[in-house]
């Protein structure tokens, strides 16, 4: 492979579509030479596609087999570090594959890149957790739907065991505190929802596209859903503090605070993990009166009993 052909391959990998004149200008050759070099790449197994009309040109497509990739030094270092992290990511079945890919890449890394990878790897540590693993095929399906902006149908099970199909517009996949989550617009509930991937039994991408909606702060919304545990159960408590002060401290997008007098307010939220809700209310630090659900009163009482029984060690 000539230096110019390598340069052409790098350009095709760097951008989705190039016109012939654009490639000719970048390589400082004629359009005819570009066509000849493209044919040379095709002969080596690289699936270079050609499209006509407005917006058309040359692009690197997917073939029947994976051709060699051209990586710069820093790209190779990034891939190697990514493979090391993937090997300890908790994604079921990818740990061994990542290690094999890392071994293959390590054999061809230049000494300078290998030393950089080793230096970075020594400064990173992934502590294995006990969180449920995530199936790689599920991640690929969800990521593809996010990329292509198509609706999803997922078979999802809530924390209380209720299982149903959900129709979603997917926006982001996040790994938070050792678990994977999908942030999506729930078409049936007409609201934003966060879904734990380890509770998804199946997922199918449809052919129905969607127009992106204005999104909230996605990371904050997912963390809030983790705190309130799924946001499908109504919670109402009375708090003996002015509404403005409670609203400023609560800081939750899905919670509403309504005044019920000068020094009392009603806080309404949604959540399934009542133990976490009780801990969150304890963090607020104000006396509360539970209106619904009654099970929340038991959770708060349990925390109180634990706090009463806890304390510093007493010397005998």
């Amino acid at each position: 492979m000539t230096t110019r052909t390598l340069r052409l391959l790098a350009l095709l990998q760097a951008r989705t579509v190039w016109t012939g004149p654009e490639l000719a200008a970048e390589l400082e050759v004629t359009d005819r030479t570009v066509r000849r070099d493209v044919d040379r790449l095709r002969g080596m197994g690289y699936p270079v596609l050609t499209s006509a009309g407005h917006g058309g040109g040359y692009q690197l497509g997917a073939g029947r087999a994976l051709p060699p990739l051209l990586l710069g030094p820093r790209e190779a270092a990034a891939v190697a570090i990514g493979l090391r992290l993937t090997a300890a990511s908790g994604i079921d079945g990818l740990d061994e594959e990542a290690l094999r890919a890392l071994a293959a890449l390590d054999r061809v890394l230049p000494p300078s890149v290998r030393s950089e990878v080793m230096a970075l790897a020594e400064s990173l540590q992934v502590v294995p957790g006990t969180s449920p693993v995530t199936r790689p095929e599920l991640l690929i399906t969800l990521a593809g739907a996010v990329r292509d902006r198509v609706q999803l149908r997922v078979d999802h099970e809530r924390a209380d065991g209720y299982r149903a199909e959900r129709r979603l517009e997917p926006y982001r996949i996040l790994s938070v505190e050792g678990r994977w989550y999908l942030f999506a617009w729930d078409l049936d509930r007409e609201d934003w929802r966060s879904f734990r991937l380890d509770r998804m039994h199946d997922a199918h991408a449809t052919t129905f596209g969607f127009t992106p909606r204005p999104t909230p702060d996605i990371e904050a919304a997912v963390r809030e859903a983790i705190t309130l545990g799924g946001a499908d159960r109504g919670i109402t408590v009375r708090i003996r503090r002015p509404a403005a002060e409670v609203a400023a401290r609560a800081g939750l997008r899905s919670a509403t605070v309504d005044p019920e007098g000068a020094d009392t307010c009603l806080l309404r939220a949604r959540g399934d993990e009542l133990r976490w809700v009780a801990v969150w209310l304890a963090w607020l630090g104000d006396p509360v009166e539970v209106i619904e659900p009654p099970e929340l009163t038991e959770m708060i009482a349990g925390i109180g009993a634990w706090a009463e029984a806890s304390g510093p060690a007493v010397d005998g």
Side-chain angles (χ1 to χ4, degrees):
M1 187 180 291
T2 66
T3 302
R4 189 179 66 243
T5 309
L6 285 171
R7 171 66 176 153
L8 173 60
L9 177 59
L11 291 172
L12 291 171
Q13 290 182 176
R15 204 169 86 185
T16 303
V17 179
W18 291 86
T19 66
E22 287 175 334
L23 289 173
E26 288 285 339
L27 298 170
E28 299 181 348
V29 296
T30 65
D31 290 357
R32 181 179 178 182
T33 301
V34 169
R35 290 193 295 270
R36 189 166 56 245
D37 288 346
V38 165
D39 289 339
R40 185 177 292 112
L41 285 176
R42 287 169 176 161
M44 296 176 182
Y46 292 92
V48 183
L49 308 179
T50 306
S51 55
H54 179 70
Y58 296 102
Q59 67 180 113
L60 199 58
R64 288 187 297 272
L66 179 67
L69 297 177
L70 184 65
L71 299 175
R74 299 202 63 82
E75 292 171 327
V79 170
I81 293 298
L83 289 171
R84 287 179 180 270
L85 295 176
T86 300
S89 67
I91 301 175
D92 189 26
L94 281 192
D95 47 0
E96 294 183 7
E97 300 293 341
L99 289 174
R100 279 196 290 268
L102 182 61
L105 180 62
D106 187 69
R107 284 194 295 269
V108 297
L109 287 178
S112 59
V113 177
R114 184 180 292 110
S115 62
E116 181 179 2
V117 170
M118 292 300 295
L120 289 171
E122 290 174 358
S123 67
L124 299 173
Q125 181 180 6
V126 177
V127 179
T130 58
S131 300
V133 296
T134 298
R135 292 174 287 123
E137 62 270 20
L138 177 62
L139 271 175
I140 292 172
T141 297
L142 300 180
V146 171
R147 178 199 61 205
D148 299 335
R149 292 181 180 172
V150 295
Q151 295 178 14
L152 281 168
R153 295 196 316 273
V154 302
D155 180 0
H156 181 263
E157 184 175 342
R158 290 191 330 208
D160 60 4
Y162 177 76
R163 181 172 169 178
E165 183 178 275
R166 311 288 281 266
R167 298 185 308 120
L168 310 174
E169 294 178 354
Y171 280 77
R172 186 83 57 81
I173 302 170
L174 302 89
S175 177
V176 182
E177 298 177 4
R179 285 193 174 99
W180 288 90
Y181 296 85
L182 171 68
F183 182 75
W185 177 264
D186 191 315
L187 290 164
D188 297 316
R189 290 158 178 78
E190 296 187 344
D191 197 6
W192 297 107
R193 289 289 192 269
S194 298
F195 300 89
R196 273 175 47 175
L197 268 59
D198 60 286
R199 290 180 180 162
M200 285 187 186
H201 296 274
D202 204 358
H204 295 282
T206 72
T207 57
F208 300 106
F210 63 88
T211 302
R213 306 170 187 268
T215 61
D217 184 322
I218 292 179
E219 181 180 344
V222 171
R223 289 190 177 277
E224 176 182 329
I226 294 171
T227 302
L228 294 183
D232 274 330
R233 191 173 191 180
I235 296 165
T236 304
V237 298
R238 179 176 287 111
I239 301 180
R240 302 189 192 111
R241 184 176 287 272
E245 296 181 16
V246 173
R249 295 186 61 200
L252 294 180
R253 176 183 60 89
S254 61
T256 61
V257 181
D258 300 312
E260 198 190 43
D263 299 316
T264 308
C265 64
L266 290 178
L267 184 146
R268 296 181 176 88
R270 305 195 67 82
D272 286 329
E273 303 283 357
L274 294 183
R275 186 180 301 277
W276 282 111
V277 175
V279 170
W280 175 67
L281 290 171
W283 173 80
L284 286 178
D286 297 309
V288 302
E289 175 188 344
V290 176
I291 298 175
E292 64 169 342
E295 297 89 343
L296 180 57
T297 303
E298 300 174 10
M299 289 293 178
I300 293 175
I303 292 176
W306 170 80
E308 186 176 348
S310 303
V314 178
D315 294 333

